[in-house]
Amino acid sequence: MLLRFAYEVQHRLPFNISPSTVPDDRLVELVEGPEALPPGKALDLGCGPGRNSVYLAEHGWDVTGVELVGHAVRRARRRAAKAGVRLRVVHGDVTRLAAIGVGGGYSLVVDAGCYHALPVELRPGYVREVTAAAAPDALMVLVAFEQQNTKGWDVSQDEVVSGFTAWKVTACAPVPVAEIVRYVDGPAFAKRPLVNGTYRARRYELRRLPNTD
């Protein structure tokens, strides 16, 4: 409850950064590139106001977004309506996907900044719920800060490899600062920590292993 309240306040501050409408570069490549994935069921964790969810829905995917912050949920739904696409946005906790009715069989899982915003003690629950929701051989694209300003919440490569035991990490690369900045709107001073090295992000691609929990 406290975490939800903190993020509700953060999303409403006029001098803070907020997600832009630009979808992740790697997601665009996966959807529109030379080896494009066939549209299927996609799960966008911590979808915010729909930056990636709306993009996927516009390209034929059956998308469910999950978001803790009510203000962001309403923005995502408005954005989907404006774009004329069908998008299911569930207001709830990513560590309780089964309880909030998210379902399963997702062939694509997207997390563009949710996992690293969870306290360390909640992360095993996230992994358990995401694993249960994913289809065999599902692809997960995870962007996480390996360095951020919340002490103890950094996400290391070792944590991803050892924590996602039912998944295989197939790719891992730093996300350039210039790319990260395109994914947020807000005043220049609020973006400064993204530019000056306070934050460093890494993008992972993981495959769901068959016959594992």
Side-chain angles (χ1 to χ4, degrees), residues 8 70 90-91 106 156 175 190:
E8 286 279 4
V90 179
H91 186 193
Y106 293 95
S156 69
V175 184

Side-chain angles (χ1 to χ4, degrees), residues 47-195:
C47 67
R51 181 171 68 88
N52 288 316
S53 294
V54 171
Y55 169 78
L56 286 167
E58 288 175 329
H59 288 80
W61 287 77
D62 178 8
V63 187
T64 296
V66 180
E67 175 56 51
L68 185 67
V69 179
H71 178 61
V73 168
R74 291 186 290 274
R75 287 183 61 195
R77 289 171 178 165
R78 288 196 300 268
R79 182 174 290 175
K82 185 176 180 180
V85 296
R86 180 181 178 275
L87 171 61
R88 178 188 180 212
V89 185
V90 179
H91 186 193
D93 183 346
V94 295
T95 67
R96 301 181 68 248
L97 296 179
I100 62 177
V102 165
Y106 293 95
S107 59
L108 176 64
V109 180
V110 179
D111 178 337
C114 179
Y115 180 78
H116 66 219
L118 291 173
V120 173
E121 64 271 17
L122 297 182
R123 292 175 182 175
Y126 166 106
V127 174
R128 180 184 63 250
E129 294 287 308
V130 171
T131 300
D137 201 41
L139 172 65
M140 181 175 190
V141 182
L142 168 69
V143 176
F145 285 128
E146 60 183 356
Q147 179 176 303
Q148 56 180 317
N149 65 356
T150 306
K151 187 176 181 181
W153 287 22
D154 298 348
V155 177
S156 69
Q157 185 172 348
D158 285 345
E159 177 182 343
V160 175
V161 172
S162 63
F164 288 77
T165 54
W167 301 75
K168 179 181 180 180
V169 176
T170 58
C172 172
V175 184
V177 169
E179 182 182 340
I180 296 173
V181 171
R182 288 193 293 108
Y183 301 150
V184 296
D185 290 329
F189 74 85
K191 295 181 181 180
R192 195 170 298 133
L194 297 175
V195 176

